[in-house]
Amino acid sequence: MLDSTRNAALNGAQHLSWSSIPVEHPAEGIERQMFVGKEVMICRFRFAPFLVTPEHRHPHEQMSLVISGRLRFFVEGEERIASPGDALHFPPNCLHGATMMDEEVVLIDIFTPLREDFLGKV
């Protein structure tokens, strides 16, 4: 069955492998892959050791899953260490940022609504 026929049969449902999703390089030391639905998106990030993501806020709700590596999260002025297996939740407009520790960090971030800025639709 053709992929387009199969997707129609699944009523728009998708089944992808991370290996089939293009890798983007939005900044030095960062790789990003995006799996985008209608109202939610999942991003897999790879961050170089010691990379800093400045504190920021956005109107999107975010959940982050630490797959590998350790990082220092800053959430509303408090510091937390996150390790593989940890999950974090950032409500809309919550001030947060992170500093990667001494190894590559892989995160899965889930956003709703879609991060239009990631999609180039600001």
Side-chain angles (χ1 to χ4, degrees):
M1 183 183 299
L2 295 173
D3 281 342
S4 59
T5 306
R6 187 176 345 179
N7 282 341
L10 295 173
N11 196 24
Q14 298 180 69
H15 175 183
L16 295 176
S17 166
W18 285 114
S19 64
S20 71
I21 298 173
V23 175
E24 301 174 347
H25 298 89
E28 176 95 21
I30 301 175
E31 291 183 358
R32 176 178 68 203
Q33 293 171 281
M34 298 184 294
F35 187 11
V36 181
K38 185 174 179 181
E39 297 181 29
V40 67
M41 68 190 308
I42 296 178
C43 299
R44 180 166 75 168
F45 286 97
R46 290 183 185 277
F47 296 101
F50 305 110
L51 186 116
V52 175
T53 60
E55 289 184 274
H56 62 285
R57 46 178 102 236
H58 46 72
H60 313 87
E61 185 170 12
Q62 175 181 343
M63 291 194 172
S64 296
L65 308 170
V66 182
I67 304 303
S68 64
R70 290 178 5 111
L71 61 159
R72 207 175 257 113
F73 266 105
F74 301 93
V75 182
E76 295 291 349
E78 285 192 33
E79 182 179 323
R80 306 276 171 97
I81 302 295
S83 301
D86 289 353
L88 300 104
H89 173 246
F90 304 105
N93 299 308
C94 174
L95 182 65
H96 63 285
T99 299
M100 308 313 129
M101 297 180 82
D102 59 351
E103 59 188 312
E104 178 184 74
V105 172
V106 177
L107 291 180
I108 301 291
D109 284 347
I110 301 162
F111 297 99
T112 188
L114 302 181
R115 290 288 306 256
E116 300 288 344
D117 54 325
F118 286 5
L119 300 172
K121 301 177 184 177
V122 179

